[in-house]
Structure formats: C-alpha cells, structure tokens
Amino acid sequence: MGLSKDVIYDRICQLIEPFNKKSVPLTPQTTFANDLDFDSLTVMDLVAAIEDEFDIVLPLNMLPDLETIQQVTDAVEKIIKG
C-alpha cells in the first residue's frame, strides 16, 4: 500500500471524527478511554472502520495496548508493511 505514517494518522483521525461526540481536539497523544470517553462498543465500531479503510485485521490481543491515536497509527503501519 505504501502509505506514509502521516497519511495513516490523518485517515485514522477522519475515521474517529464521527465518533468524537465531545469534539475533543485530536492529537497523537489523545486517548480513546480518557480523552474521547469511548466505550467498548464505540471502540469496536472504530476498529471495524479502521480495518475496512486499510483492508487489514487488527488482532484482538493487540487492542488493549492501543490507548492513543499514535499507538493505533503505529499498529496499522506495522500491519500494512508486514
């Protein structure tokens, strides 16, 4: 796919926006639980959107470690690049 980290980050932010009910400013350090107040169902909806967007599968055992937008960006980049 050859996407840069910046492109991946921007796309993930675009995918988060519809779920961002509190209009929290999105930064690489923004957390899903504390800053965005996402519950587990919202997180799973976001994961599905990310998987569809990038045509990947985020392993379930990886999800608990993905607390910030940057961590998700890094994980997506790692999966894409294999």
Side-chain angles (χ1 to χ4, degrees):
M1 216 183 240
L3 298 174
S4 72
K5 188 172 284 221
D6 289 340
V7 170
I8 295 169
Y9 173 80
D10 288 343
R11 284 202 192 164
I12 290 172
C13 286
Q14 289 170 4
L15 293 171
I16 291 169
E17 221 31 77
F19 300 103
N20 187 2
K21 304 294 183 213
K22 296 179 356 185
S23 297
V24 174
L26 300 179
T27 71
Q29 285 68 45
T30 301
T31 62
F32 299 104
N34 296 334
D35 297 328
L36 294 169
D37 243 357
F38 284 6
D39 60 17
S40 57
L41 183 60
T42 305
V43 169
M44 293 313 290
D45 286 345
L46 177 60
V47 166
I50 291 170
E51 289 178 336
D52 288 348
E53 175 72 22
F54 295 102
D55 196 24
I56 60 170
V57 174
L58 285 167
L60 286 177
N61 64 339
M62 186 189 274
L63 297 182
D65 297 328
L66 304 179
E67 298 174 1
T68 67
I69 297 174
Q70 186 62 57
Q71 289 170 330
V72 171
T73 301
D74 293 344
V76 169
E77 181 187 37
K78 185 177 174 188
I79 292 168
I80 289 173
K81 298 200 170 159

